[in-house]
Amino acid sequence: MRKTEELDLSRIVDQKEVEWYDEARGRLCLLIGFLGDGLKQNLHELYRTNDDLELFAKLKFWLFGVHKELLYVGLEKFGLSIEKFEQEMVASTILSVAMELDNLDFILEVMVRSGVVDDLVVEGKNSTLKTGVGNFDFSKADEHFDYQNKTVEKILRSKGLKGGCHEVSEKLFESNAEYKIMTMICRKNLVEDYYHSVVLIPGGKVVDLTENLVIDEGDFCRLYDVQEKVVLSHGEYEELRAETRKYDKSKTLYPALRVASYEWRKNGKL
Protein backbone atom coordinates (compact mmCIF):
# COMPACT_ATOMS: atom_id res chain seq x y z
CA MET A 1 0.00 0.00 0.00
CA ARG A 2 1.30 3.47 -0.79
CA LYS A 3 2.06 5.87 2.05
CA THR A 4 -1.01 6.23 4.22
CA GLU A 5 -0.49 10.02 4.35
CA GLU A 6 -1.40 10.15 0.67
CA LEU A 7 -4.49 7.98 0.97
CA ASP A 8 -7.76 9.41 -0.29
CA LEU A 9 -10.19 6.56 0.25
CA SER A 10 -13.23 8.44 -1.03
CA ARG A 11 -11.50 9.00 -4.39
CA ILE A 12 -10.33 5.37 -4.57
CA VAL A 13 -13.79 4.01 -3.75
CA ASP A 14 -15.48 6.29 -6.29
CA GLN A 15 -12.96 5.44 -9.02
CA LYS A 16 -13.42 1.70 -8.51
CA GLU A 17 -17.22 2.04 -8.72
CA VAL A 18 -16.90 3.85 -12.05
CA GLU A 19 -14.40 1.26 -13.34
CA TRP A 20 -16.61 -1.64 -12.30
CA TYR A 21 -19.69 -0.07 -13.86
CA ASP A 22 -17.97 0.78 -17.14
CA GLU A 23 -16.39 -2.67 -17.47
CA ALA A 24 -19.64 -4.47 -16.71
CA ARG A 25 -21.67 -2.29 -19.04
CA GLY A 26 -19.18 -2.88 -21.83
CA ARG A 27 -19.47 -6.65 -21.46
CA LEU A 28 -23.26 -6.74 -21.18
CA CYS A 29 -23.62 -4.35 -24.11
CA LEU A 30 -22.43 -7.15 -26.38
CA LEU A 31 -24.91 -9.62 -24.91
CA ILE A 32 -27.85 -7.19 -25.14
CA GLY A 33 -26.96 -6.43 -28.76
CA PHE A 34 -26.81 -10.13 -29.59
CA LEU A 35 -30.16 -10.80 -27.92
CA GLY A 36 -31.77 -7.86 -29.69
CA ASP A 37 -30.55 -9.13 -33.05
CA GLY A 38 -31.85 -12.61 -32.29
CA LEU A 39 -35.24 -11.28 -31.23
CA LYS A 40 -35.29 -8.75 -34.08
CA GLN A 41 -36.04 -5.98 -31.60
CA ASN A 42 -34.24 -2.90 -30.34
CA LEU A 43 -34.41 -3.72 -26.66
CA HIS A 44 -33.13 -0.29 -25.62
CA GLU A 45 -35.92 1.48 -27.47
CA LEU A 46 -38.53 -1.04 -26.41
CA TYR A 47 -37.74 -0.60 -22.71
CA ARG A 48 -36.70 3.06 -22.98
CA THR A 49 -33.26 2.80 -21.44
CA ASN A 50 -29.69 2.97 -22.73
CA ASP A 51 -28.31 1.40 -19.57
CA ASP A 52 -27.38 -2.20 -20.43
CA LEU A 53 -27.06 -3.21 -16.77
CA GLU A 54 -30.49 -1.88 -15.90
CA LEU A 55 -31.94 -3.50 -19.01
CA PHE A 56 -30.43 -6.91 -18.22
CA ALA A 57 -31.76 -6.76 -14.65
CA LYS A 58 -35.24 -5.94 -15.98
CA LEU A 59 -35.27 -8.64 -18.65
CA LYS A 60 -33.46 -11.61 -17.11
CA PHE A 61 -36.54 -13.48 -15.84
CA TRP A 62 -38.42 -12.88 -19.09
CA LEU A 63 -35.42 -13.99 -21.14
CA PHE A 64 -34.92 -17.02 -18.92
CA GLY A 65 -38.57 -18.01 -19.12
CA VAL A 66 -39.29 -17.30 -22.79
CA HIS A 67 -35.96 -17.22 -24.65
CA LYS A 68 -33.69 -19.44 -22.57
CA GLU A 69 -32.00 -21.12 -25.54
CA LEU A 70 -31.05 -17.81 -27.18
CA LEU A 71 -29.94 -16.41 -23.82
CA TYR A 72 -27.65 -19.37 -23.14
CA VAL A 73 -26.13 -19.15 -26.60
CA GLY A 74 -25.37 -15.50 -25.90
CA LEU A 75 -23.88 -16.21 -22.48
CA GLU A 76 -21.54 -18.81 -23.93
CA LYS A 77 -20.66 -16.63 -26.93
CA PHE A 78 -19.43 -13.80 -24.71
CA GLY A 79 -17.75 -15.92 -22.06
CA LEU A 80 -20.40 -15.41 -19.37
CA SER A 81 -20.94 -18.28 -16.94
CA ILE A 82 -24.27 -20.11 -17.19
CA GLU A 83 -23.64 -21.55 -13.73
CA LYS A 84 -23.18 -18.06 -12.28
CA PHE A 85 -26.28 -16.85 -14.11
CA GLU A 86 -28.42 -19.61 -12.59
CA GLN A 87 -26.92 -18.87 -9.18
CA GLU A 88 -27.85 -15.22 -9.58
CA MET A 89 -31.37 -16.20 -10.59
CA VAL A 90 -31.70 -18.23 -7.39
CA ALA A 91 -30.55 -15.20 -5.39
CA SER A 92 -33.02 -12.96 -7.20
CA THR A 93 -35.82 -15.44 -6.50
CA ILE A 94 -35.04 -15.43 -2.77
CA LEU A 95 -35.03 -11.63 -2.74
CA SER A 96 -38.32 -11.58 -4.63
CA VAL A 97 -39.87 -13.70 -1.87
CA ALA A 98 -38.33 -11.59 0.92
CA MET A 99 -39.46 -8.35 -0.71
CA GLU A 100 -42.89 -9.75 -1.67
CA LEU A 101 -42.63 -8.49 -5.24
CA ASP A 102 -45.82 -8.19 -7.26
CA ASN A 103 -44.50 -10.52 -9.98
CA LEU A 104 -43.42 -13.26 -7.54
CA ASP A 105 -45.82 -15.85 -8.99
CA PHE A 106 -44.37 -15.34 -12.47
CA ILE A 107 -40.80 -15.56 -11.13
CA LEU A 108 -41.49 -18.82 -9.30
CA GLU A 109 -43.23 -20.25 -12.36
CA VAL A 110 -40.23 -19.43 -14.54
CA MET A 111 -37.73 -20.85 -12.07
CA VAL A 112 -39.63 -24.11 -11.54
CA ARG A 113 -40.27 -24.58 -15.25
CA SER A 114 -36.58 -24.04 -15.98
CA GLY A 115 -35.61 -26.83 -13.61
CA VAL A 116 -33.35 -24.58 -11.52
CA VAL A 117 -35.86 -24.41 -8.64
CA ASP A 118 -37.78 -27.43 -7.40
CA ASP A 119 -40.08 -25.82 -4.85
CA LEU A 120 -40.60 -23.04 -2.34
CA VAL A 121 -41.66 -24.28 1.10
CA VAL A 122 -43.00 -21.77 3.64
CA GLU A 123 -43.47 -22.85 7.26
CA GLY A 124 -44.45 -20.02 9.56
CA LYS A 125 -41.76 -17.34 9.42
CA ASN A 126 -39.24 -19.62 7.69
CA SER A 127 -38.89 -20.32 3.98
CA THR A 128 -36.83 -22.88 2.06
CA LEU A 129 -36.06 -22.55 -1.63
CA LYS A 130 -35.26 -26.03 -2.93
CA THR A 131 -32.96 -25.94 -5.95
CA GLY A 132 -30.78 -28.21 -8.01
CA VAL A 133 -27.70 -26.81 -6.29
CA GLY A 134 -28.98 -27.16 -2.73
CA ASN A 135 -31.64 -25.88 -0.38
CA PHE A 136 -31.57 -22.30 0.93
CA ASP A 137 -33.26 -21.48 4.22
CA PHE A 138 -34.18 -17.85 4.86
CA SER A 139 -36.71 -15.55 6.45
CA LYS A 140 -37.98 -12.00 6.09
CA ALA A 141 -36.19 -9.55 8.37
CA ASP A 142 -39.39 -7.84 9.51
CA GLU A 143 -40.89 -11.20 10.51
CA HIS A 144 -37.63 -12.53 12.01
CA PHE A 145 -37.32 -9.61 14.40
CA ASP A 146 -41.08 -9.18 14.73
CA TYR A 147 -40.29 -5.55 15.63
CA GLN A 148 -38.71 -6.63 18.93
CA ASN A 149 -35.61 -4.69 17.88
CA LYS A 150 -36.57 -1.00 17.97
CA THR A 151 -33.82 -0.09 15.50
CA VAL A 152 -35.20 -2.55 12.96
CA GLU A 153 -38.70 -1.22 13.53
CA LYS A 154 -37.59 2.37 13.01
CA ILE A 155 -35.68 1.54 9.83
CA LEU A 156 -38.44 -0.53 8.26
CA ARG A 157 -41.26 1.80 9.25
CA SER A 158 -39.55 5.02 8.12
CA LYS A 159 -36.86 5.00 5.46
CA GLY A 160 -37.07 1.23 5.49
CA LEU A 161 -35.90 -0.72 2.52
CA LYS A 162 -35.17 2.45 0.56
CA GLY A 163 -32.22 3.28 2.83
CA GLY A 164 -28.61 2.72 1.79
CA CYS A 165 -27.09 -0.59 2.88
CA HIS A 166 -24.11 0.94 4.72
CA GLU A 167 -26.26 3.37 6.67
CA VAL A 168 -28.94 0.90 7.78
CA SER A 169 -26.37 -1.80 8.55
CA GLU A 170 -24.40 0.59 10.75
CA LYS A 171 -27.57 1.48 12.66
CA LEU A 172 -28.55 -2.15 13.21
CA PHE A 173 -24.96 -3.11 14.14
CA GLU A 174 -24.80 -0.37 16.77
CA SER A 175 -28.03 -1.60 18.38
CA ASN A 176 -26.51 -4.82 19.78
CA ALA A 177 -23.03 -5.51 21.17
CA GLU A 178 -23.16 -9.12 19.90
CA TYR A 179 -23.65 -8.11 16.28
CA LYS A 180 -20.83 -7.79 13.74
CA ILE A 181 -20.75 -5.70 10.60
CA MET A 182 -19.68 -7.18 7.26
CA THR A 183 -18.78 -5.02 4.27
CA MET A 184 -18.14 -6.76 0.97
CA ILE A 185 -17.41 -6.51 -2.70
CA CYS A 186 -20.26 -8.48 -4.26
CA ARG A 187 -21.21 -9.18 -7.85
CA LYS A 188 -24.52 -8.76 -9.68
CA ASN A 189 -25.65 -8.77 -13.30
CA LEU A 190 -23.01 -11.49 -13.86
CA VAL A 191 -20.06 -9.09 -14.08
CA GLU A 192 -20.79 -5.92 -12.06
CA ASP A 193 -18.91 -5.59 -8.77
CA TYR A 194 -20.32 -3.31 -6.07
CA TYR A 195 -19.91 -2.48 -2.38
CA HIS A 196 -22.44 -3.83 0.11
CA SER A 197 -22.83 -3.94 3.90
CA VAL A 198 -24.87 -6.27 6.11
CA VAL A 199 -24.97 -7.35 9.75
CA LEU A 200 -23.99 -10.71 11.23
CA ILE A 201 -26.10 -11.85 14.17
CA PRO A 202 -25.55 -14.80 16.55
CA GLY A 203 -26.19 -18.15 14.87
CA GLY A 204 -24.19 -17.33 11.74
CA LYS A 205 -26.99 -15.40 10.06
CA VAL A 206 -26.75 -12.36 7.81
CA VAL A 207 -29.31 -9.58 8.10
CA ASP A 208 -29.71 -7.45 5.00
CA LEU A 209 -32.36 -4.87 5.85
CA THR A 210 -32.26 -3.31 2.38
CA GLU A 211 -33.57 -6.62 1.03
CA ASN A 212 -35.66 -7.59 4.11
CA LEU A 213 -33.59 -10.79 4.29
CA VAL A 214 -32.14 -13.06 6.98
CA ILE A 215 -30.06 -15.96 5.66
CA ASP A 216 -27.06 -18.15 6.52
CA GLU A 217 -23.74 -16.33 6.02
CA GLY A 218 -22.31 -19.04 3.77
CA ASP A 219 -25.39 -19.07 1.56
CA PHE A 220 -25.36 -15.29 1.38
CA CYS A 221 -21.72 -15.14 0.29
CA ARG A 222 -22.33 -17.80 -2.34
CA LEU A 223 -25.50 -16.28 -3.77
CA TYR A 224 -24.14 -12.72 -3.76
CA ASP A 225 -20.87 -13.94 -5.32
CA VAL A 226 -18.81 -12.19 -2.63
CA GLN A 227 -15.33 -11.35 -3.91
CA GLU A 228 -13.88 -9.78 -0.74
CA LYS A 229 -15.23 -9.14 2.76
CA VAL A 230 -14.28 -7.44 6.02
CA VAL A 231 -16.01 -8.60 9.21
CA LEU A 232 -15.61 -6.52 12.36
CA SER A 233 -16.69 -6.68 15.97
CA HIS A 234 -17.61 -3.51 17.84
CA GLY A 235 -14.12 -3.06 19.28
CA GLU A 236 -12.39 -3.58 15.93
CA TYR A 237 -14.85 -1.31 14.17
CA GLU A 238 -14.47 1.56 16.63
CA GLU A 239 -10.68 1.40 16.51
CA LEU A 240 -10.55 1.42 12.70
CA ARG A 241 -13.28 4.03 12.37
CA ALA A 242 -11.20 6.48 14.37
CA GLU A 243 -7.97 5.52 12.59
CA THR A 244 -9.36 5.90 9.06
CA ARG A 245 -11.35 9.12 9.44
CA LYS A 246 -8.44 11.22 8.16
CA TYR A 247 -8.27 9.22 4.91
CA ASP A 248 -11.76 10.23 3.79
CA LYS A 249 -10.85 13.53 2.15
CA SER A 250 -14.37 14.26 0.92
CA LYS A 251 -15.99 13.26 4.23
CA THR A 252 -18.65 11.37 2.27
CA LEU A 253 -17.91 7.70 2.98
CA TYR A 254 -19.99 5.78 5.46
CA PRO A 255 -17.67 4.47 8.20
CA ALA A 256 -18.32 0.81 7.34
CA LEU A 257 -17.23 1.33 3.74
CA ARG A 258 -14.33 3.55 4.76
CA VAL A 259 -12.97 0.96 7.18
CA ALA A 260 -13.39 -1.91 4.71
CA SER A 261 -11.79 0.00 1.84
CA TYR A 262 -8.84 0.85 4.11
CA GLU A 263 -8.36 -2.85 4.91
CA TRP A 264 -8.63 -3.85 1.25
CA ARG A 265 -6.20 -1.13 0.20
CA LYS A 266 -3.75 -2.14 2.91
CA ASN A 267 -3.85 -5.74 1.68
CA GLY A 268 -3.59 -4.84 -2.01
CA LYS A 269 -7.17 -5.83 -2.87
CA LEU A 270 -8.48 -2.41 -3.90
Side-chain angles (χ1 to χ4, degrees), residues 95-154:
L95 296 184
S96 299
V97 175
M99 298 286 285
E100 300 179 357
L101 297 187
D102 292 339
N103 61 341
L104 176 58
D105 289 343
F106 167 75
I107 289 171
L108 289 172
E109 178 187 346
V110 166
M111 295 300 290
V112 170
R113 190 171 67 240
S114 72
V116 173
V117 167
D118 298 322
D119 194 13
L120 172 67
V121 178
V122 180
E123 296 182 352
K125 297 178 181 180
N126 301 311
S127 300
T128 300
L129 191 70
K130 297 183 177 182
T131 81
V133 293
N135 297 339
F136 298 92
D137 299 322
F138 64 98
S139 59
K140 300 171 185 177
D142 54 358
E143 294 181 353
H144 176 89
F145 288 99
D146 197 23
Y147 294 116
Q148 297 302 307
N149 183 306
K150 295 301 181 183
T151 300
V152 173
E153 180 179 7
K154 185 176 180 180

Side-chain angles (χ1 to χ4, degrees), residues 207-268:
V207 179
D208 186 348
L209 286 184
T210 61
E211 305 288 1
N212 197 33
L213 179 67
V214 178
I215 192 170
D216 177 78
E217 178 187 355
D219 289 341
F220 182 93
C221 290
R222 177 184 177 189
L223 292 172
Y224 275 66
D225 202 4
V226 172
Q227 308 296 303
E228 301 289 345
K229 66 179 180 179
V230 172
V231 180
L232 298 171
S233 65
H234 280 261
E236 294 166 330
Y237 175 78
E238 290 301 327
E239 180 180 349
L240 284 169
R241 184 169 70 169
E243 180 182 346
T244 59
R245 188 174 289 113
K246 59 188 175 183
Y247 303 131
D248 179 10
K249 305 300 184 184
S250 69
K251 309 301 180 187
T252 57
L253 290 179
Y254 285 108
L257 180 54
R258 184 180 74 225
V259 166
S261 62
Y262 175 78
E263 289 294 290
W264 291 325
R265 189 69 173 179
K266 183 174 66 176
N267 296 316

Side-chain angles (χ1 to χ4, degrees), residues 15-37:
Q15 283 183 343
K16 290 303 295 185
E17 284 186 318
V18 171
E19 288 175 15
W20 290 337
Y21 177 84
D22 288 344
E23 180 181 353
R25 188 174 182 180
R27 294 189 66 185
L28 282 187
C29 175
L30 299 173
L31 175 63
I32 294 296
F34 171 82
L35 294 172
D37 291 343

